[in-house]
PDB file of all heavy atoms in Angstrom:
ATOM      1  N   ILE M   1     -12.144  -2.085 -17.159  1.00  0.00           N
ATOM      2  CA  ILE M   1     -12.058  -3.197 -16.204  1.00  0.00           C
ATOM      3  C   ILE M   1     -13.130  -3.006 -15.158  1.00  0.00           C
ATOM      4  O   ILE M   1     -13.277  -1.931 -14.587  1.00  0.00           O
ATOM      5  CB  ILE M   1     -10.677  -3.221 -15.550  1.00  0.00           C
ATOM      6  CG1 ILE M   1      -9.590  -3.379 -16.611  1.00  0.00           C
ATOM      7  CG2 ILE M   1     -10.575  -4.322 -14.516  1.00  0.00           C
ATOM      8  CD1 ILE M   1      -8.205  -3.299 -16.061  1.00  0.00           C
ATOM      9  N   ARG M   2     -13.870  -4.028 -14.897  1.00  0.00           N
ATOM     10  CA  ARG M   2     -14.846  -4.016 -13.812  1.00  0.00           C
ATOM     11  C   ARG M   2     -14.129  -4.406 -12.529  1.00  0.00           C
ATOM     12  O   ARG M   2     -13.619  -5.499 -12.402  1.00  0.00           O
ATOM     13  CB  ARG M   2     -15.987  -4.992 -14.099  1.00  0.00           C
ATOM     14  CG  ARG M   2     -16.893  -4.555 -15.238  1.00  0.00           C
ATOM     15  CD  ARG M   2     -17.948  -5.614 -15.491  1.00  0.00           C
ATOM     16  NE  ARG M   2     -18.737  -5.882 -14.307  1.00  0.00           N
ATOM     17  CZ  ARG M   2     -19.850  -5.225 -13.980  1.00  0.00           C
ATOM     18  NH1 ARG M   2     -20.283  -4.239 -14.738  1.00  0.00           N
ATOM     19  NH2 ARG M   2     -20.515  -5.529 -12.883  1.00  0.00           N
ATOM     20  N   LEU M   3     -14.069  -3.487 -11.584  1.00  0.00           N
ATOM     21  CA  LEU M   3     -13.345  -3.758 -10.352  1.00  0.00           C
ATOM     22  C   LEU M   3     -13.971  -4.884  -9.572  1.00  0.00           C
ATOM     23  O   LEU M   3     -13.288  -5.612  -8.860  1.00  0.00           O
ATOM     24  CB  LEU M   3     -13.301  -2.483  -9.491  1.00  0.00           C
ATOM     25  CG  LEU M   3     -12.579  -1.288 -10.126  1.00  0.00           C
ATOM     26  CD1 LEU M   3     -12.597  -0.121  -9.160  1.00  0.00           C
ATOM     27  CD2 LEU M   3     -11.154  -1.648 -10.502  1.00  0.00           C
ATOM     28  N   ASP M   4     -15.332  -4.996  -9.697  1.00  0.00           N
ATOM     29  CA  ASP M   4     -15.973  -6.075  -8.956  1.00  0.00           C
ATOM     30  C   ASP M   4     -15.704  -7.437  -9.566  1.00  0.00           C
ATOM     31  O   ASP M   4     -16.020  -8.463  -8.974  1.00  0.00           O
ATOM     32  CB  ASP M   4     -17.482  -5.832  -8.894  1.00  0.00           C
ATOM     33  CG  ASP M   4     -18.066  -5.736 -10.301  1.00  0.00           C
ATOM     34  OD1 ASP M   4     -17.428  -5.080 -11.174  1.00  0.00           O
ATOM     35  OD2 ASP M   4     -19.106  -6.331 -10.528  1.00  0.00           O
ATOM     36  N   ALA M   5     -15.093  -7.456 -10.802  1.00  0.00           N
ATOM     37  CA  ALA M   5     -14.780  -8.738 -11.433  1.00  0.00           C
ATOM     38  C   ALA M   5     -13.377  -9.234 -11.107  1.00  0.00           C
ATOM     39  O   ALA M   5     -13.009 -10.333 -11.485  1.00  0.00           O
ATOM     40  CB  ALA M   5     -14.926  -8.614 -12.966  1.00  0.00           C
ATOM     41  N   LEU M   6     -12.580  -8.386 -10.438  1.00  0.00           N
ATOM     42  CA  LEU M   6     -11.236  -8.817 -10.068  1.00  0.00           C
ATOM     43  C   LEU M   6     -11.302  -9.893  -9.006  1.00  0.00           C
ATOM     44  O   LEU M   6     -12.247  -9.957  -8.226  1.00  0.00           O
ATOM     45  CB  LEU M   6     -10.417  -7.621  -9.559  1.00  0.00           C
ATOM     46  CG  LEU M   6     -10.117  -6.532 -10.596  1.00  0.00           C
ATOM     47  CD1 LEU M   6      -9.378  -5.380  -9.934  1.00  0.00           C
ATOM     48  CD2 LEU M   6      -9.315  -7.082 -11.755  1.00  0.00           C
ATOM     49  N   LEU M   7     -10.267 -10.716  -8.961  1.00  0.00           N
ATOM     50  CA  LEU M   7     -10.229 -11.797  -7.993  1.00  0.00           C
ATOM     51  C   LEU M   7     -10.122 -11.239  -6.585  1.00  0.00           C
ATOM     52  O   LEU M   7      -9.352 -10.314  -6.318  1.00  0.00           O
ATOM     53  CB  LEU M   7      -9.022 -12.717  -8.267  1.00  0.00           C
ATOM     54  CG  LEU M   7      -9.056 -13.480  -9.590  1.00  0.00           C
ATOM     55  CD1 LEU M   7      -7.772 -14.283  -9.760  1.00  0.00           C
ATOM     56  CD2 LEU M   7     -10.267 -14.394  -9.639  1.00  0.00           C
ATOM     57  N   ALA M   8     -10.926 -11.782  -5.694  1.00  0.00           N
ATOM     58  CA  ALA M   8     -10.911 -11.344  -4.307  1.00  0.00           C
ATOM     59  C   ALA M   8      -9.796 -12.056  -3.557  1.00  0.00           C
ATOM     60  O   ALA M   8      -9.456 -13.194  -3.851  1.00  0.00           O
ATOM     61  CB  ALA M   8     -12.254 -11.629  -3.634  1.00  0.00           C
ATOM     62  N   ILE M   9      -9.215 -11.355  -2.582  1.00  0.00           N
ATOM     63  CA  ILE M   9      -8.144 -11.903  -1.758  1.00  0.00           C
ATOM     64  C   ILE M   9      -8.728 -12.277  -0.417  1.00  0.00           C
ATOM     65  O   ILE M   9      -9.292 -11.435   0.278  1.00  0.00           O
ATOM     66  CB  ILE M   9      -7.009 -10.892  -1.588  1.00  0.00           C
ATOM     67  CG1 ILE M   9      -6.436 -10.509  -2.953  1.00  0.00           C
ATOM     68  CG2 ILE M   9      -5.913 -11.451  -0.682  1.00  0.00           C
ATOM     69  CD1 ILE M   9      -5.347  -9.481  -2.873  1.00  0.00           C
ATOM     70  N   SER M  10      -8.609 -13.531  -0.073  1.00  0.00           N
ATOM     71  CA  SER M  10      -9.159 -13.986   1.202  1.00  0.00           C
ATOM     72  C   SER M  10      -8.234 -13.579   2.333  1.00  0.00           C
ATOM     73  O   SER M  10      -7.110 -13.111   2.126  1.00  0.00           O
ATOM     74  CB  SER M  10      -9.335 -15.506   1.170  1.00  0.00           C
ATOM     75  OG  SER M  10      -8.081 -16.135   1.011  1.00  0.00           O
ATOM     76  N   MET M  11      -8.681 -13.810   3.557  1.00  0.00           N
ATOM     77  CA  MET M  11      -7.875 -13.452   4.715  1.00  0.00           C
ATOM     78  C   MET M  11      -6.613 -14.308   4.804  1.00  0.00           C
ATOM     79  O   MET M  11      -5.590 -13.874   5.308  1.00  0.00           O
ATOM     80  CB  MET M  11      -8.717 -13.632   5.986  1.00  0.00           C
ATOM     81  CG  MET M  11      -9.831 -12.611   6.114  1.00  0.00           C
ATOM     82  SD  MET M  11      -9.204 -10.919   6.125  1.00  0.00           S
ATOM     83  CE  MET M  11      -8.241 -10.966   7.631  1.00  0.00           C
ATOM     84  N   GLU M  12      -6.694 -15.537   4.276  1.00  0.00           N
ATOM     85  CA  GLU M  12      -5.517 -16.395   4.316  1.00  0.00           C
ATOM     86  C   GLU M  12      -4.420 -15.889   3.384  1.00  0.00           C
ATOM     87  O   GLU M  12      -3.246 -16.150   3.593  1.00  0.00           O
ATOM     88  CB  GLU M  12      -5.891 -17.838   3.936  1.00  0.00           C
ATOM     89  CG  GLU M  12      -6.754 -18.551   4.980  1.00  0.00           C
ATOM     90  CD  GLU M  12      -8.211 -18.133   4.882  1.00  0.00           C
ATOM     91  OE1 GLU M  12      -8.551 -17.411   3.913  1.00  0.00           O
ATOM     92  OE2 GLU M  12      -8.993 -18.505   5.753  1.00  0.00           O
ATOM     93  N   ASP M  13      -4.821 -15.138   2.305  1.00  0.00           N
ATOM     94  CA  ASP M  13      -3.857 -14.649   1.328  1.00  0.00           C
ATOM     95  C   ASP M  13      -3.430 -13.229   1.596  1.00  0.00           C
ATOM     96  O   ASP M  13      -2.664 -12.653   0.826  1.00  0.00           O
ATOM     97  CB  ASP M  13      -4.444 -14.736  -0.091  1.00  0.00           C
ATOM     98  CG  ASP M  13      -4.799 -16.160  -0.465  1.00  0.00           C
ATOM     99  OD1 ASP M  13      -4.114 -17.079   0.040  1.00  0.00           O
ATOM    100  OD2 ASP M  13      -5.746 -16.339  -1.243  1.00  0.00           O
ATOM    101  N   THR M  14      -3.915 -12.625   2.669  1.00  0.00           N
ATOM    102  CA  THR M  14      -3.607 -11.228   2.923  1.00  0.00           C
ATOM    103  C   THR M  14      -2.146 -11.068   3.300  1.00  0.00           C
ATOM    104  O   THR M  14      -1.597 -11.853   4.065  1.00  0.00           O
ATOM    105  CB  THR M  14      -4.489 -10.693   4.074  1.00  0.00           C
ATOM    106  OG1 THR M  14      -5.847 -10.904   3.724  1.00  0.00           O
ATOM    107  CG2 THR M  14      -4.233  -9.210   4.304  1.00  0.00           C
ATOM    108  N   VAL M  15      -1.500 -10.050   2.722  1.00  0.00           N
ATOM    109  CA  VAL M  15      -0.111  -9.732   3.023  1.00  0.00           C
ATOM    110  C   VAL M  15      -0.089  -8.571   3.986  1.00  0.00           C
ATOM    111  O   VAL M  15      -0.650  -7.514   3.705  1.00  0.00           O
ATOM    112  CB  VAL M  15       0.680  -9.375   1.735  1.00  0.00           C
ATOM    113  CG1 VAL M  15       2.116  -9.014   2.095  1.00  0.00           C
ATOM    114  CG2 VAL M  15       0.632 -10.534   0.766  1.00  0.00           C
ATOM    115  N   HIS M  16       0.538  -8.726   5.137  1.00  0.00           N
ATOM    116  CA  HIS M  16       0.595  -7.686   6.147  1.00  0.00           C
ATOM    117  C   HIS M  16       1.942  -6.992   6.057  1.00  0.00           C
ATOM    118  O   HIS M  16       2.987  -7.620   6.159  1.00  0.00           O
ATOM    119  CB  HIS M  16       0.427  -8.301   7.546  1.00  0.00           C
ATOM    120  CG  HIS M  16      -0.887  -9.031   7.715  1.00  0.00           C
ATOM    121  ND1 HIS M  16      -2.070  -8.389   7.947  1.00  0.00           N
ATOM    122  CD2 HIS M  16      -1.172 -10.365   7.647  1.00  0.00           C
ATOM    123  CE1 HIS M  16      -3.046  -9.291   8.053  1.00  0.00           C
ATOM    124  NE2 HIS M  16      -2.510 -10.497   7.870  1.00  0.00           N
ATOM    125  N   ASP M  17       1.926  -5.695   5.864  1.00  0.00           N
ATOM    126  CA  ASP M  17       3.149  -4.924   5.787  1.00  0.00           C
ATOM    127  C   ASP M  17       3.641  -4.500   7.155  1.00  0.00           C
ATOM    128  O   ASP M  17       4.806  -4.188   7.339  1.00  0.00           O
ATOM    129  CB  ASP M  17       2.942  -3.679   4.916  1.00  0.00           C
ATOM    130  CG  ASP M  17       2.667  -4.063   3.465  1.00  0.00           C
ATOM    131  OD1 ASP M  17       3.147  -5.137   3.058  1.00  0.00           O
ATOM    132  OD2 ASP M  17       1.999  -3.302   2.784  1.00  0.00           O
ATOM    133  N   SER M  18       2.773  -4.429   8.123  1.00  0.00           N
ATOM    134  CA  SER M  18       3.162  -3.956   9.438  1.00  0.00           C
ATOM    135  C   SER M  18       3.988  -5.012  10.150  1.00  0.00           C
ATOM    136  O   SER M  18       3.698  -6.193  10.089  1.00  0.00           O
ATOM    137  CB  SER M  18       1.921  -3.625  10.288  1.00  0.00           C
ATOM    138  OG  SER M  18       2.300  -3.282  11.609  1.00  0.00           O
ATOM    139  N   SER M  19       5.054  -4.565  10.804  1.00  0.00           N
ATOM    140  CA  SER M  19       5.916  -5.496  11.539  1.00  0.00           C
ATOM    141  C   SER M  19       5.248  -6.014  12.795  1.00  0.00           C
ATOM    142  O   SER M  19       5.695  -6.992  13.378  1.00  0.00           O
ATOM    143  CB  SER M  19       7.235  -4.794  11.905  1.00  0.00           C
ATOM    144  OG  SER M  19       6.976  -3.663  12.704  1.00  0.00           O
ATOM    145  N   ASP M  20       4.156  -5.339  13.245  1.00  0.00           N
ATOM    146  CA  ASP M  20       3.480  -5.790  14.455  1.00  0.00           C
ATOM    147  C   ASP M  20       2.640  -7.019  14.205  1.00  0.00           C
ATOM    148  O   ASP M  20       2.280  -7.737  15.130  1.00  0.00           O
ATOM    149  CB  ASP M  20       2.593  -4.662  15.011  1.00  0.00           C
ATOM    150  CG  ASP M  20       3.431  -3.482  15.466  1.00  0.00           C
ATOM    151  OD1 ASP M  20       4.619  -3.704  15.830  1.00  0.00           O
ATOM    152  OD2 ASP M  20       2.920  -2.356  15.451  1.00  0.00           O
ATOM    153  N   VAL M  21       2.283  -7.210  12.931  1.00  0.00           N
ATOM    154  CA  VAL M  21       1.438  -8.351  12.599  1.00  0.00           C
ATOM    155  C   VAL M  21       2.344  -9.538  12.298  1.00  0.00           C
ATOM    156  O   VAL M  21       3.166  -9.481  11.403  1.00  0.00           O
ATOM    157  CB  VAL M  21       0.536  -8.041  11.387  1.00  0.00           C
ATOM    158  CG1 VAL M  21      -0.346  -9.233  11.080  1.00  0.00           C
ATOM    159  CG2 VAL M  21      -0.293  -6.799  11.675  1.00  0.00           C
ATOM    160  N   GLY M  22       2.225 -10.580  12.983  1.00  0.00           N
ATOM    161  CA  GLY M  22       3.083 -11.737  12.760  1.00  0.00           C
ATOM    162  C   GLY M  22       2.799 -12.786  13.810  1.00  0.00           C
ATOM    163  O   GLY M  22       1.870 -12.665  14.607  1.00  0.00           O
ATOM    164  N   PRO M  23       3.593 -13.804  13.829  1.00  0.00           N
ATOM    165  CA  PRO M  23       3.365 -14.865  14.808  1.00  0.00           C
ATOM    166  C   PRO M  23       3.609 -14.366  16.216  1.00  0.00           C
ATOM    167  O   PRO M  23       4.469 -13.527  16.461  1.00  0.00           O
ATOM    168  CB  PRO M  23       4.392 -15.936  14.413  1.00  0.00           C
ATOM    169  CG  PRO M  23       5.449 -15.183  13.675  1.00  0.00           C
ATOM    170  CD  PRO M  23       4.740 -14.079  12.977  1.00  0.00           C
ATOM    171  N   THR M  24       2.817 -14.849  17.113  1.00  0.00           N
ATOM    172  CA  THR M  24       2.986 -14.471  18.508  1.00  0.00           C
ATOM    173  C   THR M  24       4.207 -15.157  19.083  1.00  0.00           C
ATOM    174  O   THR M  24       4.854 -15.983  18.431  1.00  0.00           O
ATOM    175  CB  THR M  24       1.734 -14.870  19.309  1.00  0.00           C
ATOM    176  OG1 THR M  24       1.599 -16.292  19.239  1.00  0.00           O
ATOM    177  CG2 THR M  24       0.498 -14.197  18.753  1.00  0.00           C
ATOM    178  N   LEU M  25       4.521 -14.826  20.311  1.00  0.00           N
ATOM    179  CA  LEU M  25       5.705 -15.382  20.937  1.00  0.00           C
ATOM    180  C   LEU M  25       5.604 -16.897  21.105  1.00  0.00           C
ATOM    181  O   LEU M  25       6.572 -17.620  20.980  1.00  0.00           O
ATOM    182  CB  LEU M  25       5.920 -14.709  22.294  1.00  0.00           C
ATOM    183  CG  LEU M  25       7.205 -15.097  23.048  1.00  0.00           C
ATOM    184  CD1 LEU M  25       8.414 -14.714  22.221  1.00  0.00           C
ATOM    185  CD2 LEU M  25       7.248 -14.414  24.404  1.00  0.00           C
ATOM    186  N   THR M  26       4.373 -17.332  21.343  1.00  0.00           N
ATOM    187  CA  THR M  26       4.190 -18.774  21.515  1.00  0.00           C
ATOM    188  C   THR M  26       4.288 -19.518  20.191  1.00  0.00           C
ATOM    189  O   THR M  26       4.605 -20.700  20.182  1.00  0.00           O
ATOM    190  CB  THR M  26       2.824 -19.058  22.156  1.00  0.00           C
ATOM    191  OG1 THR M  26       1.788 -18.465  21.338  1.00  0.00           O
ATOM    192  CG2 THR M  26       2.757 -18.431  23.545  1.00  0.00           C
TER     193      THR M  26
END
């Protein structure tokens, strides 16, 4: 498998595992 041929994940599709990352209070 060519790693550079795998589908890239954009910032909109990024999954954040940290609980600190999320919607702000507003």
